[in-house]
Amino acid sequence: MTALAPTTHLGRDAEAGLRPRHKALLLLGAFVALVALKHLLPAGLVRPPDWVILPVGQWLSAAFEFLREDLGLEAVTRLFAGFVAWHLEILGNLLLGGRGGLGLPALPWTVIAVSGFMIGYALQGWRLAALSGGVFVYLALFGQWRYAMETLSLIAVSAPLAVLAGLALGIAAARHPRLEAALMPLLNVMQSMPHFAYLIPVVVFFGVGDHAGAVATAIFATPPMVRMTLLGMRRLPPEVVEAGMMAGATRWQRLRHVEVPTAREDILVGVNQVIMQCLAMVVIASFIGAPGLGYRLLLALQSLKIGTALELGVSIVLIAITLDRCSKAWVERRPVHDAAERPWHERHRTLLVWLGLVALAFAAASLHPWAYEVPRRQALSTAPFWDAIVDWTTVALFEPAHQLRTMLSLHVLIPLRDLYLYLPFAAVALAAAGGGYLVGGLRSALVCLGFVAFVALTGWWDRAMITLYMVSFAVFVCLALGLPLGIWASRSDGRGRRVLLLCDTFQTFPSFIYLIPMVMLFQVNDVAAIGAVIIYAMIPIVRYTVEGMRSVPSSLHEAVRMAGADGRQRLLNMELPMALPHILVGINQTIMFALFMVIIAAFIGTQDLGQELMRALSANDIGKGLTLGLCVASIGLLFDHILTEWARRRKAALGLA
Amino acid sequence: MTVKQRREADRGQPLITCRNLWKIYGPDPAGLLKAHGGKPAAQAIRDSGHVAAVNDASIDISEGEILVVMGLSGSGKSTLMRCLCRLVEPTSGTLRVDGQDLLAMDERQLIEIRRSKMGMVFQNFALLPTRTVLDNVAFPLEMRGQRTAERHERAREMIRLVGLEGREQYFPRELSGGQQQRVGIARSLAIEPDLWFLDEPFSALDPLIRREMQDEFLRLQAMLGKTIVFITHDFDEALRLADRIAIMYEGEVVQIDTPDKIVLQPATDYVAKFTREIPKARVVHVRSLAEPLDGEVPDGPALQGDATIASVARTIVQAGRPYLPVLDETGQPTRRLDCGRALALLFGEEEAA
């Protein structure tokens, strides 16, 4: 941070000739001095002394205990759990048969596949239809049907819950500024908490199983819906709201007929985000017994069946792409008028074709059992194919992968980890506060210090430093590779578009997926974990670099060209400074992605906060789990604060705000 | 008699009466008013960190009248209109619409009066993007619970009135700006309002379309005879459409008069600045310049009182006389025109008033 500080714009509070560059150097000097003179420091500055460490975990446990038993919240959650379980049963019954519910036999897979096909067609056309229909056919023929339907029914229950809750909260927050003020910090913390941290309270209140998985998923997916609803309501043109009032609409009529339909696009973007968040979380909810593809993947990875894991991974990826494309197509679908007054059957042709296809599918299912359900044993399997690839890579790539792993571990990762653990507590606190001070003055310094203090006071300092070391190394590599990649991609329109599409697609995959190829290459260790983190966290920095570079107005390009600047001069003096606010947002996201992934990577064995979180999960220790989750959130929010503030100032300085 | 003259003749009770209307933004508007006995001075408002968007406005708007509120952006004209229909809550003052105290109404009554008596047209059209033209126009009828068939019939009638038949099933984004505003106009007229508010309805349109829409507006008004509050920042538009013009400056209504009087006798320097570039002869009517006869009717061709000076310029020049007779509404030459004054106005010499 300090090295880049000279570019910040802090003219206003420069006192007595101390320029930002000098302040940064001064802070850097103090930091180096603290590290170098570590052995002279009192023990309390090297590590937070024991007596300041607060039993935050116990407090939280006690608070939840109080909520659960004394306030009788458990009765409420039981009721809610029953409600969710009932829906899951009905859906499970429709998609999978058996299992109570309505007591009906399952729908034939062909019926679901043609429905998927027609949904794709109705939303966008033939290409999306081919994708959505094709994915269901693939799932059925390759024996993934049952798991995929379990996953989909979880999403089908939790996504509407999240959408409704988010919509209600978002609308309420748009109406009542006080609620918004209370909600925003809560959302910030929620969105920087790792997935695992959500699971523990849910286990405590809802137990384990599919309904608990659905609840955890719904809670996890709600924040983006609240944000998008709020954004949509905020962006309503005031005239449209006034038009509703002048038409004599009551409050409810205005909400239903004017405000929600007009904010439709933002709300549907929220729905898209909810669905993708649900998919990501459903995979992770397998840790608390949610069935489906994620659970199978977990089992396969635990027993190192890489071929099976890859096969499941492909199914998850296909579902992710389909859900994303369909929900995005829904966002973009704009109504088109009917040319003339056509008869009913022509206006509803899609509906009729769907009904016809469904009837056909039912008929086919009654004629041949394979059109009803492809037996798992008869199904095609791609596992042998993937196994062959895995075998080949382990043989062919074993040497290079092994060497890379050894080299990275011995010469980079372990020394880096030791360095982070060597850093005195006071030096880290100084660096955080200094970073805050440079971008946002005294207030930011205090905020940053607060985040550091929280981690220190909870007593998880060393674990947090290990998390920080993994995150910072991964982010460093991401920036070193992602920035040039983004700049290269932004050099031509077509390339930029293709790279953005690629980023879009990769971003829809649940983060868990990225562990599979890394485990395949490096087995289970820190290198594999960091590798997965790097791949996943690379996405935002590439995307925002491309977007930032392409947001530079062409008139500016022309002006700088006419001033006789060569390519390098253009890049350094005009494009990068102009794109910096975008790039800062990208870095911020990269850090967040890295943090999330580092915690998930705990599953393949790390020694950081994530590992402790996994332990808390298996011990159902709600206090410890939430404390660890808040520690991770503190680290995330610390960087978020510094980078957001910096980006804001740069934007203001460039007149973009 | 033209429609306009007829309206002027039987203009009766004021439909809207507002007295000492204030709208102040800032930390404590009510306290500020109280502290200064309901009439804070401009300096006091500014010093206390408040802004007076509407400053002590007292206006009567008669039935069938077109009142154009005119001012630059930020002069408070939009806020004034929104106070008159209570989209914005006035800080103080009285406001009666059709004999009822609008400020005393609760939400239910307010909804009721908007459903039965008021229509509004917006600068950026404010159409609902997910509804067809037909459903947009029928929207106010739907809100008051009219049955589908009935409201669609009425909506179709309105769409025909604004010349958009055939586009009923289109969505707003499929229409041009001018067409969208026609939908906005049709929607605002669907409930047959007595009071028609138009907030810079043509400002977002191209100049040529704007002209066309102004003609359209005059055509509709000739048929319907609504009571109209019309906001614009375009002085030409105001002169073209208004029975009376209210000019606003920093929240204050500085002059409210007929176009002729605004041009001939601007109340303040600010109003005079507006009128300076205007070809006055095209605004001022013969009767506004006419004076009583000095004993006998002058020789020469008689002029109609409701003709503009510009339109009779040729007659005046060719006659070459110091005075010409002016006919009143009954066709009698009861007054005379000082041709010297008329020509001074025609050639833009400043002596006119």
Side-chain angles (χ1 to χ4, degrees):
Chain A
M1 220 108 306
T2 39
L4 291 169
T7 53
T8 54
H9 183 77
L10 291 163
R12 257 156 288 133
D13 54 349
E15 76 249 24
L18 254 189
R19 302 232 316 274
R21 183 191 298 260
H22 296 151
K23 285 192 205 168
L25 284 176
L26 219 61
L27 282 166
L28 187 65
F31 177 78
V32 172
L34 275 177
V35 177
L37 302 176
K38 180 184 175 186
H39 55 280
L40 295 180
L41 294 177
L45 290 183
V46 176
R47 282 291 179 271
D50 283 345
W51 55 266
V52 298
I53 287 170
L54 304 170
V56 180
Q58 286 170 34
W59 293 346
L60 284 172
S61 289
F64 272 92
E65 187 84 347
F66 175 74
L67 271 180
R68 190 161 72 102
E69 293 187 353
D70 298 335
L71 288 186
L73 197 61
E74 199 172 19
V76 180
T77 57
R78 282 259 163 81
L79 210 66
F80 187 65
F83 168 78
V84 171
W86 180 68
H87 279 270
L88 273 173
E89 233 168 65
I90 289 182
L91 261 172
N93 176 239
L94 281 179
L95 296 176
L96 296 160
R99 280 221 313 182
L102 303 174
L104 296 169
L107 290 171
W109 72 265
T110 39
V111 170
I112 296 170
V114 295
S115 304
F117 181 85
M118 286 314 288
I119 289 174
Y121 177 76
L123 285 173
Q124 204 174 56
W126 289 110
R127 286 177 62 178
L128 190 59
L131 175 71
S132 56
V135 165
F136 280 111
V137 173
Y138 168 88
L139 292 173
L141 294 187
F142 287 83
Q144 310 271 313
W145 189 256
R146 179 159 206 94
Y147 311 140
M149 287 307 113
E150 282 168 349
T151 297
L152 280 182
S153 57
L154 273 175
I155 295 177
V157 169
S158 45
L161 276 178
V163 167
L164 285 180
L167 204 55
L169 278 173
I171 290 169
R175 293 252 161 111
H176 307 287
R178 267 200 216 140
L179 179 65
E180 188 197 351
L183 214 52
M184 277 302 131
L186 186 68
L187 291 183
N188 284 339
V189 172
M190 277 178 84
Q191 288 191 302
S192 2
M193 291 250 275
H195 306 66
F196 287 127
Y198 284 82
L199 296 179
I200 303 167
V202 169
V203 170
V204 170
F205 282 102
F206 295 90
V208 293
D210 52 0
H211 65 282
V215 171
T217 305
I219 297 175
F220 181 77
T222 302
M225 189 69 204
V226 180
R227 279 189 201 279
M228 288 313 296
T229 307
L230 192 56
L231 179 74
M233 301 308 261
R234 281 285 135 75
R235 290 211 302 202
L236 283 176
E239 282 194 342
V240 171
V241 179
E242 286 176 343
M245 291 168 87
M246 286 309 285
T250 61
R251 268 160 194 269
W252 169 247
Q253 282 177 323
R254 272 198 327 259
L255 186 66
R256 179 164 143 38
H257 295 291
V258 179
E259 291 164 13
V260 171
T262 307
R264 171 183 178 278
E265 263 182 45
D266 287 322
I267 289 174
L268 286 182
V269 169
V271 171
N272 168 267
Q273 292 187 2
V274 164
I275 293 175
M276 299 326 289
Q277 293 275 40
C278 277
L279 183 64
M281 189 63 184
V282 156
V283 176
I284 288 168
S286 55
F287 280 95
I288 56 169
L293 292 165
Y295 186 63
R296 293 285 139 186
L297 179 60
L298 191 66
L299 293 183
L301 275 180
Q302 269 168 351
S303 49
L304 281 180
K305 286 191 199 153
I306 306 294
T308 316
L310 277 172
E311 195 181 18
L312 291 159
V314 168
S315 302
I316 295 176
V317 162
L318 285 175
I319 291 178
I321 294 177
T322 308
L323 289 176
D324 182 53
R325 293 284 147 79
C326 284
S327 51
K328 277 201 181 128
W330 192 16
V331 177
E332 282 157 16
R333 215 168 82 100
R334 299 208 176 83
V336 178
H337 70 274
D338 265 330
E341 306 274 304
R342 291 182 298 157
W344 188 89
H345 65 271
E346 267 186 50
R347 274 181 292 136
H348 297 85
R349 195 190 293 155
T350 314
L351 180 72
L352 291 175
V353 171
W354 174 66
L355 285 174
L357 284 178
V358 165
L360 267 180
F362 269 116
S366 66
L367 288 177
H368 197 288
W370 274 43
Y372 188 83
E373 187 186 0
V374 179
R376 201 168 151 60
R377 241 173 291 124
Q378 312 291 322
L380 305 168
S381 172
T382 49
F385 166 73
W386 296 113
D387 277 332
I389 290 186
V390 174
D391 287 345
W392 181 81
T393 48
T394 26
V395 175
L397 294 181
F398 179 78
E399 257 322 294
H402 182 74
Q403 275 177 7
L404 181 66
R405 190 180 92 198
T406 323
M407 196 203 69
L408 264 181
S409 291
L410 282 182
H411 300 295
V412 182
L413 295 182
I414 293 176
L416 194 63
R417 189 191 66 196
D418 292 345
L419 173 68
Y420 271 73
L421 287 174
Y422 177 81
L423 291 179
F425 156 68
V428 178
L430 176 80
Y437 180 69
L438 285 178
V439 299
L442 207 54
R443 200 185 137 267
S444 286
L446 287 177
V447 171
C448 293
L449 205 57
F451 287 127
V452 176
F454 178 81
V455 178
L457 293 183
T458 53
W460 294 106
W461 186 259
D462 282 10
R463 297 282 179 183
M465 290 312 285
I466 295 178
T467 300
L468 196 61
Y469 121 76
M470 291 176 75
V471 169
S472 48
F473 178 71
V475 169
F476 173 77
V477 176
C478 285
L479 296 190
L481 298 177
L483 274 174
L485 182 63
I487 292 171
W488 172 79
S490 67
R491 285 285 173 251
S492 101
D493 268 359
R495 222 189 283 155
R497 230 181 6 255
R498 278 194 295 279
V499 168
L500 283 184
L501 184 69
L502 216 59
C503 286
D504 266 348
T505 311
F506 276 126
Q507 204 175 338
T508 58
F509 303 167
S511 40
F512 207 61
I513 295 295
Y514 291 93
L515 287 174
I516 306 171
M518 286 300 137
V519 170
M520 182 173 100
L521 277 179
F522 299 111
Q523 275 82 50
V524 171
N525 54 45
D526 268 23
V527 176
I530 287 189
V533 176
I534 290 171
I535 298 183
Y536 184 57
M538 186 94 86
I539 303 166
I541 187 64
V542 173
R543 125 160 318 158
Y544 282 96
T545 307
V546 175
E547 284 178 356
M549 299 290 284
R550 294 169 67 88
S551 73
V552 179
S554 61
S555 58
L556 210 54
H557 270 288
E558 286 164 2
V560 175
R561 234 176 244 276
M562 288 312 288
D566 63 25
R568 206 178 126 268
Q569 287 172 322
R570 278 209 301 276
L571 183 68
L572 290 181
N573 293 310
M574 189 269 290
E575 290 173 292
L576 279 182
M578 287 302 285
L580 188 64
H582 270 91
I583 294 177
L584 288 176
V585 174
I587 296 177
N588 193 4
Q589 293 255 320
T590 289
I591 292 175
M592 282 296 180
F593 275 44
L595 204 51
F596 271 41
M597 194 64 196
V598 163
I599 302 302
I600 288 173
F603 169 65
I604 58 167
T606 51
Q607 303 139 14
D608 67 334
L609 291 171
Q611 193 55 39
E612 289 295 327
L613 205 48
M614 297 277 288
R615 274 190 212 149
L617 179 57
S618 45
N620 270 349
D621 188 340
I622 190 170
K624 181 179 167 188
L626 275 183
T627 311
L628 288 162
L630 289 172
C631 281
V632 177
S634 295
I635 298 175
L637 290 171
L638 168 68
F639 286 110
D640 177 68
H641 180 84
I642 292 178
L643 288 168
T644 315
E645 190 70 11
W646 190 6
R648 198 178 61 75
R649 295 212 166 203
R650 286 310 306 158
K651 262 193 181 165
L654 295 174
L656 299 172
Chain B
M1 252 202 300
T2 64
V3 174
K4 209 162 177 173
Q5 284 170 328
R6 191 174 65 239
R7 269 202 334 267
E8 273 161 39
D10 55 35
R11 185 172 295 160
Q13 288 296 311
L15 194 64
I16 301 181
T17 315
C18 78
R19 289 286 173 270
N20 310 104
L21 207 61
W22 286 85
K23 177 64 194 180
I24 298 176
Y25 290 102
D28 180 20
L32 178 77
L33 275 178
K34 199 178 257 175
H36 293 82
K39 270 190 198 294
Q43 195 61 39
I45 297 172
R46 222 171 302 137
D47 289 349
S48 55
H50 292 80
V51 177
V54 176
N55 185 334
D56 205 14
S58 297
I59 300 175
D60 289 322
I61 304 169
S62 317
E63 227 173 308
E65 179 185 17
I66 304 179
L67 176 75
V68 174
V69 182
M70 151 77 213
L72 300 182
S73 57
S75 60
K77 52 194 192 307
S78 253
T79 313
L80 175 65
M81 173 185 278
R82 280 162 174 70
C83 282
L84 294 182
C85 56
R86 254 187 86 184
L87 278 178
V88 164
E89 205 64 42
T91 311
S92 82
T94 58
L95 171 59
R96 301 187 75 80
V97 173
D98 202 12
Q100 293 169 285
D101 184 351
L102 201 73
L103 299 185
M105 289 186 177
D106 61 16
E107 172 138 355
R108 276 225 58 79
Q109 292 168 306
L110 206 57
I111 285 176
E112 203 40 57
I113 195 169
R114 285 177 183 156
R115 283 179 178 180
S116 57
K117 288 208 170 93
M118 292 177 177
M120 193 185 255
V121 181
F122 297 88
Q123 180 173 5
N124 296 302
F125 324 136
L127 302 178
L128 302 175
T130 51
R131 289 168 167 254
T132 60
V133 167
L134 186 68
D135 281 329
N136 258 297
V137 175
F139 182 69
L141 306 172
E142 184 182 337
M143 291 304 100
R144 64 183 189 191
Q146 243 157 290
R147 281 186 301 110
T148 314
E150 199 180 307
R151 67 172 190 252
H152 277 178
E153 191 190 319
R154 171 76 186 156
R156 275 177 215 284
E157 200 179 305
M158 286 298 110
I159 292 169
R160 239 190 335 274
L161 186 71
V162 297
L164 275 182
E165 57 265 80
R167 301 286 157 92
E168 286 86 351
Q169 297 304 322
Y170 279 54
F171 288 90
R173 65 176 177 84
E174 298 174 310
L175 301 175
S176 69
Q179 289 172 326
Q180 290 194 37
Q181 195 56 297
R182 282 169 196 263
V183 178
I185 289 173
R187 173 177 67 183
S188 69
L189 291 175
I191 58 151
E192 295 185 72
D194 302 328
L195 259 172
W196 199 15
F197 297 100
L198 297 102
D199 180 12
E200 301 210 25
F202 311 135
S203 299
L205 304 175
D206 294 336
L208 283 180
I209 309 283
R210 193 181 308 165
R211 186 89 187 171
E212 184 187 316
M213 293 294 284
Q214 287 167 0
D215 292 337
E216 180 81 11
F217 168 77
L218 287 173
R219 177 180 74 86
L220 284 174
Q221 175 60 1
M223 280 161 60
L224 304 169
K226 307 281 185 202
T227 305
I228 292 174
V229 183
F230 188 111
I231 291 186
T232 182
H233 61 250
D234 176 353
F235 199 45
D236 284 323
E237 187 169 75
L239 293 172
R240 228 175 142 220
L241 307 178
D243 290 329
R244 282 192 306 157
I245 298 178
I247 293 189
M248 288 189 77
Y249 177 67
E250 293 190 346
E252 221 171 322
V253 179
V254 288
Q255 187 172 8
I256 175 163
D257 247 323
T258 59
D260 292 47
K261 287 233 179 95
I262 297 258
V263 170
L264 292 175
Q265 296 150 22
T268 65
D269 287 348
Y270 180 74
V271 179
K273 228 184 271 175
F274 263 119
T275 60
R276 195 156 297 150
E277 299 304 317
I278 296 296
K280 299 191 173 88
R282 289 167 64 172
V283 177
V284 176
H285 295 91
V286 171
R287 69 173 119 73
S288 304
L289 279 189
E291 51 194 55
L293 289 176
D294 184 20
E296 61 194 63
V297 179
D299 286 340
L303 304 173
Q304 294 289 340
D306 62 352
T308 59
I309 299 294
S311 69
V312 296
R314 183 176 292 269
T315 317
I316 296 173
V317 172
Q318 283 174 350
R321 291 172 183 276
Y323 295 103
L324 285 176
V326 175
L327 304 176
D328 64 10
E329 283 89 15
T330 55
Q332 295 304 309
T334 50
R335 312 203 317 149
R336 68 175 192 186
L337 179 71
D338 180 340
C339 293
R341 278 184 72 195
L343 288 175
L345 195 78
L346 196 61
F347 295 126
E349 292 163 23
E350 276 311 309
E351 176 270 337

